[in-house]
Each structure stands twice: as structure tokens, then as C-alpha cells.
Amino acid sequence: MEKSHSRLSSTVFSVAVLAIGLHVSDVCAEPVKTLTFLDFEDGVLVPKGWIIRGAVSVSTSPSQNLRESRGSLRATYPIAVGGIYAEANYALPPNTNDVYVEFWAKMPGAKQGLKFLKVFGIRDSVGYANTTFGLDYTGADGDFGDMYQVSFGDGSVEANDTASVINFDGDAPAWIGRSYGQAKVETPQKKRWSSDNWGIDWHHFKMHVKFNSGTTPQNEVADGEYYVEIDGKVYVKATGLFNRHYSNQSIDRIAFFDWAQNGTTPFEVWIDDIRITTGGFLPATAPKAPQLIQAN
């Protein structure tokens, strides 16, 4: 009877897992942990764990804020003849190599380019690994302010930043660098996120960065990942990447706004409801309890 009961329990558990669309490995995965959440409702410009620089302020105008709330973060940029900065930096816990970022943003006036969201690796005497989810500031395609690629380094050298890219339109797939041919890179929309999409409204962004593992040439593994979702549409889903040198340390901080150059007119970028997590994105709604199906 004991063996029969054990088999039944195992069957019920397996069916329960399948009923909510998960695998056993997902059930045992690291739980989602919120490192920081900011909605700026209290009007505090520099909350704990953050460093704010440049022309950054908290708007107290409900008519302009996200969901007519009491506060949203606003960065103001003059015409960028050289490189200019407005920064909102969040320092990550030590040894963070996998991070999820979710937020709302708008560019209600002129559409211009900037780094927008940059993930900085720890910089030391050996090097660093950075990733940028930028808005085009070159004007090369005549569309300042569009999001069109994820830029990083493939770990061929110690300093890794923008030598490799994943283009939203799927063009030039070999530009991911030395993991080309083994990485799985999906760009479902097959197009840029045009600056026309900004309009004057708020938009929802979700980004994921996972550094590839390994600390020597012998044990490094191409298991880095990127994910970009805008307004519910997936633009990039990439796994099996090299995106750091084996000597590079972990992720240091997340920077919003950041560096801009070659602008043609002053502009503003607004951000709100910033959530930075590990273990995954926080579910929008709590999942329903699984329905247990008794085995015959």
C-alpha cells in the first residue's frame, strides 16, 4: 500500500505541475526577489541604494505622471553637442550576474537618443562587461530615439561594451560575436521599435540580462541571455551567448537615462514604477492554485 500511495502522490504532483504549465525544474527555480521598487509617490529624489545626478527631478504634476499619480521621475536634456548625462543609478548586491528590469517610460516632446538603460559590470584593473539597451542618438537612419539593438561585448577581450550587437530586425546575426552558430537568438518583431511609437504616452519595458558563467578559458560557458519586451511584444529573446570575458566580475549597477550625444533639440525622458528583480519578472497577477486531478 505504501508504494501505491507513493505513486499516487507523485502522479498528483506531476499533474498539478502540468496544470499550471510548469516543468519540475521551474518549480525548483530561484524565487523572484524584488531588489528595489520605485513609484516616486513620496517625492523622494534619491531613495536608498540610488545615486541621482544631472538634471533629474520628481514631477508632482498628476496630469503628466504615470496613471495621474503623485510622482514620476523626469530627466531633462539640452542639445547634446558633446556627451551629456542625466543619471539614475541603482547599485546591485555583490555577485549579481542575472537581473530583470521592468519600468514605464515616455518621451512626450522631441524624440532624441541616449543610452536609456545601461547595465554596468564591475570595472577593475582587468576590464569590465557592459550591456546597453539604447535609443539611437546617431541619426544614421534618420530616426533619433528609436530602439533598435542590444549592444554588448562577446568576451573576446577584457573590456566588453558595444563590440557585439543583437539587432531588433534580425539583420547581421553574426554580429553577436564568438557565440554565433551556437546561440539561439529570436527577434520576433523583425523590426525596430520606431520613435513614432513613443507618441506622448507611457510605454512598458521589460529587459533581462544574464552574464555567461565561467572564470577560466577552460570552464567558461556560453549561457548568457538577453530579453527585451516593449508594450507586451517581445523584440529580443536570446540564450546561449558569450557576453563577458571569463575574468570580468559581476554586474555592478543599473543606469537609467545616462549619456546622450549628437542631439538636435532639447528633450525629456520620464520613467516610473521601476522594479529590479532577480529570479524572473514579478508576475502581473498571482497564478491560480493548481487543480489537482486524482489518478484512477
Side-chain angles (χ1 to χ4, degrees):
M1 295 297 292
E2 283 294 329
K3 291 183 178 180
S4 176
H5 176 73
S6 176
R7 286 197 299 269
L8 177 60
S9 299
S10 177
T11 301
V12 171
F13 174 76
S14 299
V15 172
V17 169
L18 291 174
I20 57 175
L22 300 175
H23 299 289
V24 173
S25 59
D26 295 320
V27 174
C28 301
E30 176 189 356
V32 177
K33 179 182 179 181
T34 296
L35 302 178
T36 185
F37 174 72
L38 290 181
D39 59 10
F40 306 100
E41 294 296 279
D42 56 8
V44 175
L45 178 59
V46 189
K48 183 178 180 181
W50 288 78
I51 297 175
I52 309 293
R53 297 190 183 100
V56 181
S57 60
V58 176
S59 165
T60 57
S61 174
S63 64
Q64 299 182 64
N65 295 342
L66 179 66
R67 292 187 291 272
E68 299 186 348
S69 63
R70 293 193 299 272
S72 290
L73 196 65
R74 174 181 59 195
T76 303
Y77 289 81
I79 296 177
V81 177
I84 59 170
Y85 286 86
E87 298 177 300
N89 293 278
Y90 178 73
L92 292 169
N95 303 314
T96 300
N97 291 293
D98 194 354
V99 65
Y100 297 77
V101 185
E102 182 174 2
F103 61 98
W104 290 80
K106 72 173 181 176
M107 194 182 296
K111 315 311 177 192
Q112 297 286 284
L114 69 161
K115 296 296 186 180
F116 192 54
L117 180 72
K118 194 169 180 79
V119 179
F120 285 92
I122 294 174
R123 182 186 290 262
D124 57 22
S125 59
V126 178
Y128 54 89
N130 298 336
T131 295
T132 304
F133 302 92
L135 305 179
D136 188 11
Y137 55 83
T138 68
D141 64 347
D143 193 18
F144 283 100
D146 68 329
M147 183 175 283
Y148 67 104
Q149 63 183 198
V150 182
S151 59
F152 55 100
D154 72 351
S156 296
V157 295
E158 290 87 349
N160 293 275
D161 203 331
T162 59
S164 303
V165 300
I166 298 173
N167 289 310
F168 283 16
D169 61 7
D171 187 39
W175 288 2
I176 64 172
R178 63 189 178 117
S179 55
Y180 177 65
Q182 60 181 331
K184 182 178 181 180
V185 180
E186 301 175 50
T187 53
Q189 305 306 316
K190 298 299 180 187
K191 62 181 180 181
R192 298 167 172 242
W193 194 75
S194 168
S195 64
D196 290 340
N197 288 315
W198 280 110
I200 60 173
D201 300 321
W202 288 89
H203 300 275
H204 188 221
F205 294 83
K206 297 171 75 173
M207 283 84 158
H208 171 220
V209 175
K210 178 181 181 292
F211 276 178
N212 73 272
S213 55
T215 56
T216 69
Q218 292 75 34
N219 69 15
E220 66 172 349
V221 180
D223 56 357
E225 299 181 10
Y226 289 118
Y227 179 84
V228 180
E229 179 185 312
I230 308 174
D231 292 335
K233 294 182 179 180
V234 177
Y235 282 79
V236 172
K237 184 178 181 181
T239 58
L241 294 167
F242 281 118
N243 57 1
R244 61 177 284 276
H245 190 264
Y246 60 83
S247 65
N248 294 150
Q249 297 188 54
S250 57
I251 301 172
D252 182 46
R253 69 190 191 277
I254 307 293
F256 292 86
F257 306 130
D258 205 69
W259 184 81
Q261 187 171 345
N262 301 329
T264 58
T265 186
F267 67 102
E268 293 183 349
V269 182
W270 296 55
I271 290 179
D272 208 342
D273 281 13
I274 301 171
R275 186 181 298 276
I276 300 176
T277 60
T278 57
F281 294 109
L282 194 70
T285 57
K288 295 181 180 179
Q291 180 182 3
L292 300 183
I293 304 173
Q294 296 293 334
N296 293 327

